[in-house]
Amino acid sequence: MFTVQIVDGQWKDAVFVCDDQESLLDAARKQGIKISFGCRGGGCGMCKVKVQSGYFERGVSSKAVLPDEERVLNYTLACKTYPRSNLCVSMEAVDT
């Protein structure tokens, strides 16, 4: 189990736990943190977050909603992101 801290937005300073086999989206929602989502399949981009620190694995997602330029800046889709360490995550609107 890893801890995920949200560093800004409506849920600033919220912390939730996430297993390495569970997506950030699923873990957060189970613990009452409502991250917006549409498809849960990596295609809509509604659950886009930025990992400020820590290690994670990114599952398959659309390059139309998460282009390479954003991926290298640690933007990711919460529905397809699995922690590999404790994380700090930004949930503010993405402006890249």
Side-chain angles (χ1 to χ4, degrees):
M1 288 290 212
F2 299 108
T3 59
V4 181
Q5 179 180 9
I6 300 170
V7 298
D8 59 12
Q10 174 186 358
W11 299 100
K12 183 177 181 178
D13 297 326
V15 175
F16 64 95
V17 295
C18 187
D19 184 87
D20 65 350
Q21 298 298 309
E22 185 173 37
S23 72
L24 295 183
L25 177 65
D26 289 341
R29 293 187 65 82
K30 280 184 188 175
Q31 294 166 68
I33 297 170
K34 305 298 183 198
I35 298 174
S36 297
F37 71 94
C39 70
R40 288 187 189 245
C44 74
M46 287 182 63
C47 64
K48 192 180 294 185
V49 298
K50 182 174 184 180
V51 176
Q52 300 288 345
S53 66
Y55 299 100
F56 63 96
E57 183 176 322
R58 182 183 296 120
V60 176
S61 58
S62 169
K63 288 200 177 190
V65 297
L66 189 65
D68 289 335
E69 299 81 33
E70 291 181 354
R71 292 169 192 250
V72 298
L73 296 173
N74 278 350
Y75 287 98
T76 189
L77 303 181
C79 70
K80 292 295 183 179
T81 301
Y82 306 89
R84 297 299 180 247
S85 72
N86 294 336
L87 300 175
C88 289
V89 176
S90 172
M91 293 183 12
E92 286 290 306
V94 177
D95 290 325
T96 59

